[in-house]
Amino acid sequence: MSNSLKAYFVFLSVFLLLVVVLGILQVIPATSLEPSYRYKHRYESFVRLLNEEERKLFFEKKYEEASRLIDERIKADINFSNSIMRIKEYEVIETFPTPMMLEYFGYYVYNEVLKYNPDYRFSE
């Protein structure tokens, strides 16, 4: 096989690989990259971890009371503790105490959600 034919096959295989990769990228929905989706997902991922009583206090902005319940639950439930730690790592707020974490989600992230989704209401 000549060198020019080998070069042609290499070019053809790289081109086909590029076409396949670009085709796969077209399948990924663009909505997952939009801030409206990202902030809503971050907020809901956190709120869904809370039980009914914690969620009620969180929505009423009673962060100290909610943090007491959450801290008790973190000590008792290793899965909940791991989930909270993963969210804190993702948000880069590992050093925040629980009340500050609640305020972060209840004020900063929630206001960003409202900025992109003005009529947003959390629903289960």
Side-chain angles (χ1 to χ4, degrees):
M1 193 182 296
S2 70
N3 285 338
S4 62
L5 191 57
K6 288 179 185 177
Y8 174 74
F9 283 131
V10 168
F11 171 77
L12 186 61
S13 56
V14 169
F15 178 75
L16 289 175
L17 182 65
L18 183 64
V19 168
V20 168
V21 167
L22 290 176
I24 290 170
L25 288 176
Q26 291 297 317
V27 174
I28 299 172
T31 57
S32 66
L33 304 175
E34 294 177 5
S36 61
Y37 173 82
R38 287 194 328 257
Y39 283 110
K40 183 179 172 194
H41 177 73
R42 287 166 58 191
Y43 182 75
E44 290 181 353
S45 294
F46 172 73
V47 173
R48 283 196 172 98
L49 286 177
L50 306 178
N51 63 28
E52 195 173 310
E53 188 178 0
E54 295 161 348
R55 195 177 293 166
K56 181 178 179 286
L57 293 170
F58 174 74
F59 288 142
E60 292 173 355
K61 299 193 183 329
K62 296 180 180 176
Y63 300 135
E64 291 295 327
E65 294 174 44
S67 71
R68 183 180 46 77
L69 294 175
I70 290 170
D71 286 336
E72 289 172 5
R73 195 164 151 217
I74 285 173
K75 290 176 187 169
D77 184 355
I78 191 72
N79 292 330
F80 179 69
S81 175
N82 290 338
S83 297
I84 291 290
M85 281 310 298
R86 279 194 302 274
I87 283 182
K88 281 181 151 186
E89 287 171 3
Y90 179 79
E91 297 289 335
V92 193
I93 57 171
E94 294 112 319
T95 60
F96 283 19
T98 307
M100 192 179 289
M101 174 188 66
L102 292 172
E103 190 172 338
Y104 170 80
F105 279 101
Y107 179 76
Y108 173 72
V109 178
Y110 183 66
N111 283 336
E112 290 297 318
V113 170
L114 291 179
K115 184 164 98 176
Y116 296 102
N117 304 297
D119 300 326
Y120 175 77
R121 293 280 179 256
F122 176 78
S123 61
E124 196 64 35

